[in-house]
Amino acid sequence: EVVLVESGGGLVQPGGSLRLSCAASGFPFGTYAMSWARQAPGKGLEWVSGISYNGYATYYTDSVKGRFTIYRDNSKNTLFLQMNSLRADDTAVYYCAKNPARALLPFDYWGRGTLVTVSS
Amino acid sequence: QSALTQPASVSGSPGQSITISCTGTFSDVVHDDYVSWYQQHPGEAPKLIIYDVFNRPSGVSDRFSGSKSGNTASLTISGLLPEDEADYFCASYTSSITVDFGGGTKLTVL
């Protein structure tokens, strides 16, 4: 059974940093691309970032480029999202999602999410 | 602002069929065969229900079907059940090899 568990969310002041983690199990983590998506309170889904199976290729939505970094540790079956220079509009539930081996679509499994609140 | 446009809401009675559209606002969005659809109940994570325009993952009811014509993809739910009441999102690639979601459609089962 595929299981994705996010952690690392919380309350942070504007301009601060957080690192999200996603622990994966139930599939050969190192052979699949992975993504982060987010959902602001009461809003729709927004894709944030994706990473290739080997970590060599990364992709970002424009609003987080230069502030967020996605990376992975295949030896520990863990995906990360380093978030710097956080802004109020980054407030959202952040979901980790599994992709196919060589693509960013579809998101075939999702974690339950972790809430990030950016506020003073 | 999403490049994929969905109706904000649709409704139907139990047993009826409804269709949710997902239209690309740029000529190169929704031009490929990688449109997927997600169902999200309140307080829960999204769930994949259709991928690559019309394919269903194992375990998803065959009451859910997908199609595409030109720049518009569609999700049809037949034989509506009360548990189908949820938000539905489409997703596709954009021209810059990133992913976009539609704004989402709230389905109400009357």
Side-chain angles (χ1 to χ4, degrees):
Chain A
E1 178 194 10
V2 173
V3 177
L4 301 170
V5 179
E6 302 92 339
S7 60
L11 175 64
V12 61
Q13 292 188 337
S17 298
L18 275 180
R19 188 184 76 162
L20 305 184
S21 300
C22 171
S25 61
F27 66 102
F29 180 74
T31 62
Y32 288 89
M34 297 290 295
S35 289
W36 289 97
R38 66 186 179 184
Q39 188 169 34
K43 302 296 184 182
L45 295 170
E46 179 185 24
W47 175 80
V48 174
S49 180
I51 187 167
S52 62
Y53 69 99
N54 56 11
Y56 289 173
T58 58
Y59 309 89
Y60 301 92
T61 192
D62 286 346
S63 65
V64 308
K65 282 180 183 175
R67 301 188 300 123
F68 290 11
T69 302
I70 188 172
Y71 61 101
R72 62 193 297 163
D73 184 340
N74 286 347
S75 69
K76 296 182 178 179
N77 291 351
T78 304
L79 176 71
F80 299 96
L81 186 68
Q82 177 66 43
M83 305 187 296
N84 299 330
S85 302
L86 283 161
R87 312 184 305 217
D89 62 358
D90 294 317
T91 295
V93 173
Y94 283 73
Y95 295 101
C96 161
K98 174 183 169 292
N99 294 122
R102 300 289 189 271
L104 295 182
L105 280 175
F107 307 103
D108 50 14
Y109 291 93
W110 297 66
R112 297 183 65 86
T114 186
L115 176 62
V116 172
T117 303
V118 184
S119 175
S120 54
Chain B
Q1 189 141 349
S2 174
L4 300 174
T5 300
Q6 298 181 232
S9 63
V10 299
S11 62
S13 299
Q16 288 185 332
S17 295
I18 62 94
T19 296
I20 299 171
S21 61
C22 171
T23 302
T25 56
F26 305 107
S27 61
D28 55 356
V29 174
V30 196
H31 77 290
D32 56 21
D33 294 327
Y34 300 109
V35 178
S36 50
W37 290 90
Y38 304 85
Q39 177 193 60
Q40 186 180 34
H41 288 108
E44 296 185 5
K47 173 189 174 185
L48 175 67
I49 55 173
I50 295 288
Y51 67 97
D52 296 353
V53 178
F54 55 80
N55 292 296
R56 276 188 310 275
S58 174
V60 173
S61 171
D62 61 3
R63 296 185 302 104
F64 295 90
S65 61
S67 62
K68 187 167 76 74
S69 177
N71 257 18
T72 297
S74 298
L75 170 70
T76 297
I77 309 174
S78 58
L80 273 177
L81 298 173
E83 55 261 40
D84 296 333
E85 185 161 296
D87 293 326
Y88 292 84
F89 298 89
C90 62
S92 182
Y93 288 112
T94 66
S95 59
S96 55
I97 318 179
T98 56
V99 173
D100 209 359
F101 285 98
T105 299
K106 181 177 179 59
L107 169 61
T108 300
V109 180
L110 303 170

